[in-house]
Amino acid sequence: MTTPPAGPRLLGPAEVRQLAERLDLRPTKQRGQNFVIDPNTVRRIVREAGVGPDDVVVEVGPGLGSLTLALLDVVRHVVAVELDDRLAGLLAETVADRAPDHADRLAVVHADALRVDALPGPPPTALVANLPYNVSVPVLLHLLALLPSLEKGLVMVQAEVADRLAARPGSKAYGVPSVKAAWYADVRRAGSVGRSVFWPAPNVDSGLVAWTRRDPPVTTATRLQVFSVVDAAFAQRRKALRGALRPLAEAAGRDAGDLDAALRGAGVDPLARGEQLEVGTFAALAEGLLGDPGEGPRPADHP
């Protein structure tokens, strides 16, 4: 009779501190280092992410390995992207010690997730991470653009950022992160996380954000053109779109008449503000204002 593989031994408060002491590691705010010390929290993250034995998961900022160990118990493979030299060096050793039957499922990439341009192994299907809070939105958007194979994900971020990512048009939290995330996926709030599950405890609350990949709007405008319109629309939130988009239009060699025509073509009131528009409307605006009128509609998930 074959003995089933032993499950990983997850990290608790004592184990996290012991590993940190071994590295003489003092968590820094500069790198957003707050390590999860509660096994129930990492189990919850894995459960809420909806990942299973067929998934290849990207984890950013694995730290000392709390979430990594929980993921390895469930998924086929984990690619952990870690910037810190010492943490990247220790992670495989920790997994070999605490999850020896699962160690072959882990690949550690010592790199800055904001600058990585490829990952080893099979195409990843999910992103599950306790993202460094100081770069959480740029990392999420970069990986969504870089890895079209990602089908779903769940990330833990600062509660305020979670609200922004999942916000809908017309709400106070709706802004640039909301629209850009919606380009790639359907995004929702998946719960809150208390401060006491971290070491050191952060000064802010945390939130879980889940997403499922969907096709971007069909438009002749590129993603970069759409995102430039989004950035301009929210650069001065109190300005109506006619005024907010004027500098962008002028930089593109378009006059006030072109801008008004683009607004009309997208069905947008010139006195509306950016927080009232959903991502498809921004795409239509970019197409009218910046796109090439000679091109026909096409799936727009291109640069």
Side-chain angles (χ1 to χ4, degrees):
M1 184 175 178
T2 304
T3 303
R9 293 180 292 123
L10 302 184
L11 300 175
E15 293 81 10
V16 168
R17 287 182 171 86
Q18 286 168 4
L19 289 170
E21 287 174 9
R22 180 176 164 188
L23 295 178
D24 192 25
L25 177 69
R26 293 173 178 81
T28 67
K29 287 185 179 180
Q30 181 182 0
R31 291 191 174 177
Q33 291 173 329
N34 298 94
F35 302 118
V36 180
I37 57 175
D38 177 44
N40 287 330
T41 296
V42 293
R43 290 190 190 101
R44 175 189 172 196
I45 290 171
V46 173
R47 183 175 64 251
E48 293 285 352
V51 291
D54 294 329
D55 282 305
V56 176
V57 173
V58 179
E59 183 189 5
V60 174
L64 292 165
S66 299
L67 178 57
T68 313
L69 289 165
L71 284 166
L72 289 170
D73 194 31
V74 174
V75 305
R76 176 160 66 100
H77 191 67
V78 174
V79 181
V81 183
E82 176 56 62
L83 175 61
D84 188 288
D85 297 359
R86 293 169 297 172
L87 293 172
L90 182 63
L91 184 60
E93 186 179 333
T94 300
V95 168
D97 175 50
R98 305 191 69 85
D101 295 326
H102 301 72
D104 61 345
R105 301 182 185 180
L106 174 69
V108 180
V109 176
H110 179 206
D112 183 346
L114 276 172
R115 291 177 171 80
V116 71
D117 57 10
L119 292 176
T125 60
L127 168 66
V128 184
N130 171 23
L131 291 178
Y133 287 4
N134 52 343
V135 291
S136 56
V137 172
V139 166
L140 176 61
L141 295 176
H142 173 62
L143 293 178
L144 284 169
L146 177 69
L147 303 169
S149 62
L150 290 174
E151 302 167 357
K152 60 191 172 185
L154 184 136
V155 294
M156 182 157 59
V157 296
Q158 185 177 336
E160 182 181 351
V161 174
D163 291 339
R164 290 175 182 169
L165 285 168
R168 299 291 183 263
S171 65
K172 289 183 179 180
Y174 189 72
V176 171
S178 325
V179 184
K180 291 184 178 179
W183 173 270
Y184 301 102
D186 290 316
V187 184
R188 64 178 176 84
R189 255 309 213 128
S192 300
V193 179
R195 303 180 188 190
S196 64
V197 305
F198 297 96
W199 175 75
N203 296 322
V204 295
D205 293 323
S206 303
L208 300 177
V209 175
W211 56 269
T212 304
R213 174 82 73 169
R214 62 176 173 79
D215 291 334
V218 175
T219 175
T220 60
T222 68
R223 181 179 69 241
L224 295 181
Q225 287 173 333
V226 176
F227 283 11
S228 69
V229 171
V230 174
D231 290 334
F234 288 99
Q236 301 179 69
R237 290 184 70 106
R238 294 189 178 185
K239 271 195 173 184
L241 283 167
R242 177 190 278 154
L245 297 181
R246 185 174 295 124
L248 179 65
E250 291 173 350
R254 311 297 169 91
D255 60 23
D258 295 325
L259 175 55
D260 286 340
L263 289 164
R264 284 196 305 272
V268 177
D269 182 343
L271 299 181
R273 293 190 172 95
E275 59 261 33
Q276 297 170 255
L277 274 56
E278 52 90 30
V279 64
T281 306
F282 276 110
L285 256 179
E287 183 174 323
L289 188 60
L290 305 175
D292 181 351
E295 295 186 13
R298 56 180 172 172
D301 199 11
H302 49 90

